[in-house]
Structure formats: C-alpha cells, structure tokens
Amino acid sequence: MSIEKNQVVLFHYSVRDEQDNVVENSHGGEPNAYLHGHGGIIKGLEEALEGRDAGDTFSVTVTPDKAYGPRKADAIQRVPIKHLMGAKRWKPGMVAQVQTEQGPRHVVVAKVGHKFADVDTNHPMAGRTLTFDIEVIDVRAATPEELSHGHAHGPGGHHH
C-alpha cells in the first residue's frame, strides 16, 4: 500500500543539521505515526513520503520554507521564570516549555535574570536546512475515528 491522503503512516527517522550533527531521532522508541495529508508533520517531509511504501528507506533534505520556517528576529519575549517548565535552574540555550493560549510551546532560553527570562519563541529548528533519514515501517488505512479527529491514534500517534 503506497502512502496517500487519509492513510496512517508509521516511520522511524533521524534528523541532521547543516553540519551533519544528529539533532533528533526516533530509534529506540515507538515509530512516529501521522495521518497523511492532514498537516501533522512538516510539509517537506510529507511531500517526500507521498507514494512511498512500507519498508522504504530514504533521505530527504528539507529547506526552512518547507520545515519550521525562517527565524524571526522579533521573536524574543520576556516571561516570568516561574512559567518555564522543564528544569529548576535555567541557562541560555536550554529548551523550556511554556503554556500559551494555543497550548504548550517550546522556547529557547536566551537570557536569565532573577525573576524573568528572555525566551526565543522561534521553533528550535527554524531557519535550518534539515536532512531526514526515513524508514517507513507501516502504511494502513485510517479508521473513521482517526479521519474525524484529523490525526493517527495508537502507538506513535495521539492518545485520548
């Protein structure tokens, strides 16, 4: 079964940056699951997966415009340190989670004061050209519930 819209895809991946450093990978855990054609993963990766089959392995390089977007220079915000989740002591460069009106969001700590921190709200991989090494594990038809919710359920997917 080839990957097309409304199918659930399970895949393992590793991501390398421009200097060929591995910045993230799923090996050693559950494969990632998403509902194809519903924007659940970055555009460039979804485009590269279209038409692939279970068992396929490939690499694709994705530019910022089809990944996490360009870095925005005006994306620094000052927030109370008590709103940063993920550590007790903060240093510049650490990734924190903050609660926003749109739900949880990852930010990078830029500067730390006594009560406030300046955080960069750009996605940590914004502005970067990324190379993904992909192994397609499984492709299956989505259930009616997955289609109505707009995302994959089960291992590697969304849990209610």
Side-chain angles (χ1 to χ4, degrees), residues 78-87 90 96-100 105 107 115-117 119:
R78 182 158 287 171
V79 299
I81 290 175
K82 67 182 181 182
H83 290 243
L84 301 179
M85 295 177 275
W90 294 100
Q97 185 172 310
V98 294
Q99 201 60 27
T100 71
R105 181 173 187 158
V107 297
K115 293 187 178 187
F116 292 89
V119 297

Side-chain angles (χ1 to χ4, degrees), residues 16 36 80 82 114 132 134:
R16 292 178 280 126
H36 191 77
K82 67 182 181 182
H114 289 295
F132 291 82
I134 303 295

Side-chain angles (χ1 to χ4, degrees), residues 29-47:
E30 293 284 341
N32 189 52
Y34 78 100
L35 181 59
H36 191 77
H38 292 259
I41 62 173
I42 62 171
K43 183 177 182 176
L45 188 53
E46 190 166 54
E47 288 174 356

Side-chain angles (χ1 to χ4, degrees), residues 86-102:
K88 291 190 188 280
R89 296 185 59 80
W90 294 100
K91 295 179 184 170
M94 293 176 75
V95 177
Q97 185 172 310
V98 294
Q99 201 60 27
T100 71
E101 292 175 2
Q102 293 81 32

